[in-house]
Amino acid sequence: MLRLVLVAISGVCWSAVYIDSIRIGFRQKLCAMPLFALALNIAWEGIYSGLDFFVRGEISAQAVANAAWFLLDIAIVVTYFKFARSECTTDAERRFFVPWSVLVFASCLVLQLLFVVQFGDVEGEKYSAFLQNLIMSVCYLYMLRDRGGSRGQSMLIAVSKCVGTLTPTIIGGMEGNLFIVVTGIICFIFDAIYIVALRCVRRGEIAREPAES
């Protein structure tokens, strides 16, 4: 029972991350998810939803969630290619925006496929998920620094990402999986730092608003 509750919480939280990323992306005309995080995510969800439906023949709750997240990720990819070029600061970055982006998406797809080849679809799914979550946690911190503010970010995304990773970490602890527990704890530490940093940045922005108006 506890496991089902944790899985449900994780699913709701990750859905909130994607939906709010789409909302912010189109509203603020930017991509609300870091490039490498987005590329790893859409590759993971595309691969494992495909395996669920076409190889394993599963129509489980997790399979449906993976497919739904994949479709949501497509919308975030649209915001990336539609708006992210505007954040390029040099002519070279703008010129190579598409080739660089394609290289990143292709590289992440290859890496995710290698997990399946090397560890199998079941173990590969779990281990690659936690490694990419760790990369995501670091990427969000860099995004906060690079943008110099809270633009394209929200506490809903930050907290949902944190809780969405923490709940399967607890499941990993219940199963005695040391890899998941350790990587999950590291993710939680970086996620907590990001939440605090984003909160501090947002407070500073709010404090400056009256003086700027």
Side-chain angles (χ1 to χ4, degrees), residues 8-213:
I9 292 172
S10 180
V12 170
C13 287
W14 277 110
S15 297
V17 170
Y18 299 140
I19 292 170
D20 206 40
S21 295
I22 295 167
R23 179 189 68 83
I24 291 174
F26 283 105
R27 182 178 180 180
Q28 298 186 14
K29 292 182 169 33
L30 44 67
C31 184
M33 186 175 289
L35 173 58
F36 279 91
L38 176 57
L40 287 168
N41 260 7
I42 194 167
W44 188 92
E45 281 140 12
I47 290 169
Y48 293 108
S49 61
L51 287 173
D52 286 336
F53 285 102
F54 303 113
V55 178
R56 299 169 181 165
E58 294 182 3
I59 310 182
S60 62
Q62 186 62 57
V64 172
N66 288 345
W69 293 337
F70 176 71
L71 295 176
L72 291 172
D73 265 337
I74 291 175
I76 302 174
V77 170
V78 170
T79 66
Y80 173 79
F81 282 102
K82 189 175 178 64
F83 304 124
R85 191 193 296 265
S86 64
E87 295 190 273
C88 296
T89 57
T90 66
D91 289 338
E93 287 181 357
R94 284 186 284 272
R95 188 181 309 118
F96 292 104
F97 173 78
V98 172
W100 167 253
S101 301
V102 171
L103 175 62
V104 171
F105 279 99
S107 299
C108 289
L109 176 60
V110 169
L111 288 172
Q112 294 288 22
L113 287 171
L114 285 173
F115 270 93
V116 178
V117 172
Q118 188 66 37
F119 302 107
D121 58 323
V122 176
E123 297 303 312
E125 181 175 6
K126 291 189 293 186
Y127 295 140
S128 61
F130 275 85
L131 282 177
Q132 78 182 43
N133 279 335
L134 178 54
I135 293 171
M136 285 181 70
S137 300
V138 176
C139 285
Y140 275 105
L141 280 167
Y142 273 98
M143 184 168 70
L144 180 62
R145 184 202 66 178
D146 292 342
R147 285 183 171 164
S150 65
R151 197 167 63 96
Q153 299 157 87
S154 73
M155 288 302 296
L156 176 59
I157 292 174
V159 174
S160 296
K161 194 273 183 200
C162 180
V163 177
T165 305
L166 181 60
T167 45
T169 301
I170 296 171
I171 295 173
M174 293 165 57
E175 296 173 348
N177 191 313
L178 182 61
F179 178 88
I180 288 178
V181 170
V182 173
T183 53
I185 290 172
I186 296 172
C187 282
F188 177 78
I189 292 170
F190 280 108
D191 287 341
I193 292 171
Y194 176 66
I195 290 170
V196 172
L198 180 60
R199 183 177 177 84
C200 291
V201 167
R202 186 61 190 138
R203 279 182 173 177
E205 292 171 344
I206 293 173
R208 289 193 298 270
E209 284 174 2
E212 294 173 354
S213 60

